[in-house]
Amino acid sequence: MKSLKSILALSFLFLTATSSLVCSDGLERKDLNEDVVKTVVVSPNGAANFKTIQEAIDYIPSGNSNWIKIILSPGIYNEKIVIPKEKQKIIMQGNSASEVTIQYNDAGLSNSSGPITVNAEYFVAINITFKNYNCSYSTPIIPYEEIKVAPSIILMADMAWFYGCNFISVQDTLADLLGRHYFRNCYIEGAIDFIWGNGQSIYQNCVINVKGVTSKGVVKGGGMLPGFITAQGRENEKETSGFVFKNCVINGDGMASLGRAYRGYSRVVFYETNIANIIVPQGWDAWDYKGQEDKFTYAEVNCIGEGANKSGRVMWEKNLSAQEIDFLIEPKTFIDEDGWMGSLPSSLVSLLSPSSIF
């Protein structure tokens, strides 16, 4: 481990040399220095403070109460990273999601497989690709028999913010398990339950790409097997969780339902989203909760595109009131009622203004 003096010196030199570089979605590195008390750099070739991301995480003191930024140099990081709950207020930033990838070959366990698990509150990721192993197929259609549970990220903590990130896998891609989260300008790819969990999240201006799945064993004579974009796990009417997609785009090579019920009070809303003609007519699936459909909150509001035709939808899709819709699509009321977003570094808070989001 380098001395603190060496680390700070290297960080200063790196930031001085790169302060004019622009990140992939218009964020400059210099704009993200406000409110950050310390910056360290990781590079897979070793030409930085740390060679691995986990080393940088381990360096952060437990009980940290100040924002610390970890800059990821371009490259592929083959790691299995765990951010413990006592390591809060971390900003993990790449220059471009096309240049910085965190990946790991691990599958089978929905709550622990994959490259990164976030247990700490106040986590921010900017311009990073999170990827699990089974995304290297050369064709857009994937054999069902080869698919395994393989999350690209596991979110186990409240108050997380993602900007310009990619999440790539096939099944259980984004494990949005619990807590309040905000995703903006992100790309999410998968086929089966690939945005799932009991999180309370807004997905704003995101692209959702549905991978194609085929199987001779499941579909008689072979053919395309429809997947599921969401599997939200709200368990009772008092829980505040749910997934809200606002101004997103849904496209891809496969067919899918908008969602299926992971728990008995599942809640998912698509608002002003452009939906390609890849959604099965019924739109939603009750899964193991048939007969309890009146408890779900599944809704499509002001969506466009060929896939937004609701003439064949299930009869139990909800028609929400204007008041209910306004509550769900507004960050201040749905995920920021205590004002946690205002405690983010000031350059990030500026991106959350009404004129920036809506």
Side-chain angles (χ1 to χ4, degrees), residues 165-170 172-174 176 183-196 201-212 227-231 243-259 268-279 283-284 299-300 303-304 307:
C165 291
N166 300 335
F167 304 90
I168 302 174
S169 188
V170 178
D172 293 3
T173 300
L174 203 167
D176 191 346
F183 300 81
R184 182 181 169 93
N185 291 12
C186 293
Y187 172 89
I188 308 161
E189 179 180 295
I192 300 173
D193 303 336
F194 63 98
I195 304 172
W196 73 283
S201 302
I202 291 179
Y203 295 79
Q204 171 73 26
N205 293 350
C206 294
V207 175
I208 300 165
N209 186 270
V210 178
K211 298 286 287 184
F228 305 90
I229 294 174
T230 65
F243 298 158
V244 176
F245 299 86
K246 184 171 189 230
N247 300 128
C248 293
V249 173
I250 300 175
N251 56 28
D253 304 297
M255 297 291 295
S257 294
L258 293 168
V268 180
V269 175
F270 289 90
Y271 180 81
E272 293 188 352
T273 289
N274 191 330
I275 306 175
N277 189 25
I278 61 171
I279 302 301
W284 308 91
E300 301 165 71
C303 294
I304 62 173

Side-chain angles (χ1 to χ4, degrees), residues 37-113:
V37 299
K38 188 176 296 183
T39 299
V40 296
V41 183
V42 182
S43 175
N45 63 18
N49 305 134
F50 303 101
K51 188 173 183 179
T52 72
I53 298 169
Q54 190 65 59
E55 287 176 341
I57 297 296
D58 294 343
Y59 166 76
I60 295 172
S62 296
N64 172 61
S65 60
N66 298 302
W67 285 104
I68 294 178
K69 181 163 59 174
I70 300 172
I71 290 180
L72 304 183
S73 300
I76 296 176
Y77 297 81
N78 288 292
E79 294 191 50
K80 191 174 179 66
I81 302 158
V82 176
I83 302 178
K85 62 181 179 180
E86 63 270 16
K87 309 259 182 166
Q88 298 184 5
K89 292 198 169 181
I90 293 174
I91 299 172
M92 192 178 294
Q93 181 191 348
N95 185 59
S96 169
S98 64
E99 298 177 353
V100 176
T101 298
I102 300 173
Q103 66 181 30
Y104 197 76
N105 186 340
D106 189 18
L109 297 174
S110 60
N111 62 353
S112 63
S113 295

